[in-house]
Amino acid sequence: MTLGIKAGLLVTVLVIVTAMTMTWYSKPMASTITTTWSGNAMKSMLPRSPKDRAPVETRDSSVKSYSVFRVLNATEVKGNVTQSNRERTALWKKLRLHVEDTLPQISSLLPDFGYDKSRKNPCWWTNRTFDYKFSRSYYSNRFRRTYGVDKKGTRLDEALQSSFLQTKSPTLLCLPYFLIIGVPKSGTTDLFSRIVNHPQVISPAMKGGNWWSRRRHDKDGPTFLDYIFLFSMTAKTTREIPDWKEKVTGEGSTSTLFDMGNDSISTVELVYSVLPRSKLIVILRDPTSRLFSEYLYFVCDGQSSTTNCSSEDFHGRAERAVGTFQSCMSKTSVIQCLYTSRSDRFGVRVRLGLYHELLQPWIKLYPLGHQLLVVRMEDYSSHMSTTLKEIFTFLDLEPIADERISRLVSLPPQNSISSSLKAQVGPVLSKTRDMLDTFYKPYNERLANLLQDDGYLWMTD
């Protein structure tokens, strides 16, 4: 046999083997898999190849390396609703496998065969029994009122177990149908308080447990079961009242958008691996105004004296924070700088105003307009009735009468800065606004282009 013939046969064999391999990786799964998004049946289909892991970036040792987008970075995701179910299922499989490999304390609680399809909210049944001791990390006044625990907390575990553990077996567990994921000081608390007043929404034990992004990392902090417990009122009431199967619950942890964690999986990937069909809301505000409001709330509010809080003090902090962030970007990429808190040490988090960059990993997994809704706080404040109707439609909630919408609009504002504190500190200085507006301008332009809305340029607000 000639050398040319041997080479030809070798190429043919390689082509056949490659085709067989590609067929195995792209082989469609059973239709039940694509609708349930979970189940032991898919575990045997999950490829356990090292190629599924993205390489760790070590571009700059002086900047915290942020390589937790392991699966997302290694996968081509179009980020639009036309993407096929097979592509999304393939991505979900990789993420769930990663969670099973690295966070078994989470995956062990998740349903083996998907959420209960008879319910609108993601809930599932379990025959497990719980020797349950609730973490006091989530203990609050609202929590006490919800579950009737005495002020000293002496009957905490007993009261919580009686609410959490249903009298009949199996037990129904629930997670949030919607999440308000950001950003801080943009009206998230106010918006959440009005959404949970919709007759189809059951309020959780607290607005935001910040579990996905932060609290799960705390030593002796709340567990995944603790987080699930926040929605136990939804589980219990929808179980006891059959007509309430269309009821939903949600949460509003504002750190979810911008805090990607520091372990083997990012916040966005973890949320998607557990809640691939939930709906997300992001409410955004003019980034310069947001930063000043954050300064008033976290630096000035609650102090015994506001002597050190002033427009000049804010200018100095913002100037140093912007300089630190720009110095970081001169050494590495903006995405690396975005998820490091080095510029946060001045008490003002300028990075939280880079909305376009913050949204990027989320819109790859949750298509804009279908599973992720972006709202301008300025529109929400000035046209609240219209905006609430749009949000309820996005959440696929039942329409409510204009009279009830009017009552929602008339509710008192939540978590706002006092007018006396604003008067003591004074307005943002012109030089400060010019500096911050210039810093944020290119990011606002990208955001406006992404959302096809010049309102996100914040030129006239």
Side-chain angles (χ1 to χ4, degrees):
M1 185 179 295
T2 66
L3 182 61
I5 294 175
K6 288 182 179 180
L9 288 174
L10 179 60
V11 170
T12 302
V13 171
L14 287 174
V15 169
I16 293 172
V17 171
T18 302
M20 291 174 65
T21 304
M22 292 302 293
T23 300
W24 185 85
Y25 271 93
S26 62
K27 184 179 180 180
M29 303 182 65
S31 59
T32 54
I33 299 294
T34 59
T35 55
T36 61
W37 291 84
S38 61
N40 287 329
M42 28 170 56
K43 293 181 180 178
S44 62
M45 299 291 291
L46 302 179
R48 294 180 175 270
S49 168
K51 295 179 181 179
D52 295 335
R53 314 291 190 191
V56 177
E57 287 189 33
T58 55
R59 183 173 175 180
D60 182 10
S61 59
S62 67
V63 178
K64 182 179 178 182
S65 178
Y66 232 89
S67 57
V68 295
F69 297 116
R70 295 175 184 272
V71 179
L72 192 58
N73 284 343
T75 309
E76 288 295 327
V77 186
K78 297 182 179 65
N80 57 60
V81 76
T82 61
Q83 191 167 9
S84 71
N85 279 338
R86 189 172 69 179
E87 288 174 303
R88 289 197 172 278
T89 302
L91 175 59
W92 177 88
K93 287 189 297 177
K94 291 183 179 181
L95 289 170
R96 179 58 70 89
L97 171 64
H98 194 68
V99 171
E100 290 175 355
D101 285 347
T102 60
L103 299 168
Q105 69 274 24
I106 296 175
S107 61
S108 63
L109 284 168
L110 294 174
D112 287 334
F113 299 103
Y115 296 120
D116 185 346
K117 293 181 182 179
S118 69
R119 299 172 189 277
K120 190 178 186 69
N121 199 85
C123 300
W124 71 101
W125 299 93
T126 179
N127 289 314
R128 290 184 56 177
T129 57
F130 300 98
D131 180 17
Y132 193 69
K133 295 295 181 183
F134 186 73
S135 168
R136 293 172 186 260
S137 302
Y138 280 157
Y139 187 51
S140 65
N141 290 334
R142 180 188 176 96
F143 204 92
R144 279 203 307 267
R145 290 195 301 270
T146 302
Y147 294 103
V149 184
D150 61 38
K151 291 184 178 180
K152 294 182 180 180
T154 54
R155 294 184 293 104
L156 182 65
D157 292 331
E158 294 82 357
L160 294 178
Q161 285 197 50
S162 65
S163 297
F164 179 70
L165 298 179
Q166 295 139 43
T167 56
K168 298 179 181 179
S169 183
T171 300
L172 185 67
L173 304 179
C174 294
L175 283 168
Y177 169 78
F178 71 89
L179 300 90
I180 299 177
I181 61 174
V183 292
K185 304 316 301 171
S186 298
T188 58
T189 302
D190 189 84
L191 174 59
F192 184 81
S193 70
R194 297 177 204 275
I195 291 178
V196 296
N197 272 281
H198 187 286
Q200 200 176 341
V201 179
I202 300 173
S203 179
M206 61 192 303
K207 172 213 169 191
N210 288 305
W211 186 84
W212 299 101
S213 56
R214 292 181 176 177
R215 305 303 303 278
R216 67 185 178 92
H217 301 292
D218 294 349
K219 184 179 180 181
D220 301 323
T223 65
F224 188 45
L225 188 60
D226 295 330
Y227 178 73
I228 292 173
F229 182 78
L230 297 178
F231 313 101
S232 61
M233 192 63 71
T234 300
K236 190 170 185 178
T237 54
T238 57
R239 173 179 185 156
E240 294 172 351
I241 308 174
D243 292 343
W244 280 22
K245 287 186 177 181
E246 289 296 306
K247 300 272 186 178
V248 300
T249 190
E251 63 119 296
S253 302
T254 57
S255 66
T256 308
L257 177 69
F258 66 86
D259 193 339
M260 283 296 147
N262 56 8
D263 60 5
S264 62
I265 189 168
S266 66
T267 301
V268 59
E269 291 172 323
L270 180 59
V271 172
Y272 189 74
S273 72
V274 177
L275 298 170
R277 298 193 183 279
S278 288
K279 300 207 170 191
L280 312 183
I281 298 172
V282 179
I283 182 167
L284 303 177
R285 179 184 188 179
D286 168 26
T288 297
S289 299
R290 191 216 68 82
L291 192 68
F292 186 56
S293 179
E294 183 175 77
Y295 168 76
L296 294 175
Y297 187 81
F298 290 109
V299 178
C300 303
D301 197 17
Q303 290 189 352
S304 57
S305 171
T306 58
T307 303
N308 295 327
C309 285
S310 65
S311 298
E312 282 290 352
D313 179 62
F314 174 67
H315 177 82
R317 291 170 182 264
E319 190 173 43
R320 292 192 293 274
V322 168
T324 300
F325 197 89
Q326 290 175 329
S327 175
C328 174
M329 288 194 297
S330 69
K331 302 171 185 177
T332 186
S333 65
V334 64
I335 197 70
Q336 293 289 329
C337 299
L338 187 63
Y339 297 117
T340 178
S341 59
R342 295 188 66 195
S343 62
D344 293 354
R345 66 182 186 270
F346 303 109
V348 288
R349 298 177 290 183
V350 294
R351 64 190 178 95
L352 269 59
L354 276 63
Y355 303 141
H356 176 270
E357 280 63 31
L358 289 172
L359 285 170
Q360 287 306 301
W362 292 94
I363 62 178
K364 286 186 175 182
L365 298 176
Y366 294 91
L368 272 171
H370 294 269
Q371 281 188 269
L372 193 153
L373 179 68
V374 180
V375 178
R376 277 197 347 141
M377 192 199 80
E378 293 81 2
D379 296 333
Y380 170 70
S381 299
S382 59
H383 306 289
M384 188 176 292
S385 177
T386 301
T387 305
L388 285 174
K389 289 179 180 179
E390 292 174 352
I391 291 171
F392 294 154
T393 299
F394 166 74
L395 293 176
D396 194 26
L397 300 179
E398 299 170 355
I400 57 178
D402 289 342
E403 181 181 353
R404 183 146 193 168
I405 288 285
S406 297
R407 290 202 297 270
L408 292 181
V409 172
S410 65
L411 292 173
Q414 298 292 311
N415 212 28
S416 57
I417 306 295
S418 68
S419 55
S420 59
L421 178 60
K422 292 178 182 178
Q424 287 178 325
V425 176
V428 179
L429 300 175
S430 296
K431 63 179 180 179
T432 312
R433 180 164 289 280
D434 290 343
M435 174 191 64
L436 289 173
D437 286 352
T438 300
F439 172 72
Y440 286 125
K441 182 179 179 181
Y443 306 105
N444 292 344
E445 289 174 345
R446 294 176 202 167
L447 179 68
N449 183 61
L450 172 70
L451 301 176
Q452 295 295 291
D453 186 345
D454 286 346
Y456 290 96
L457 295 173
W458 283 288
M459 298 294 292
T460 57
D461 293 318

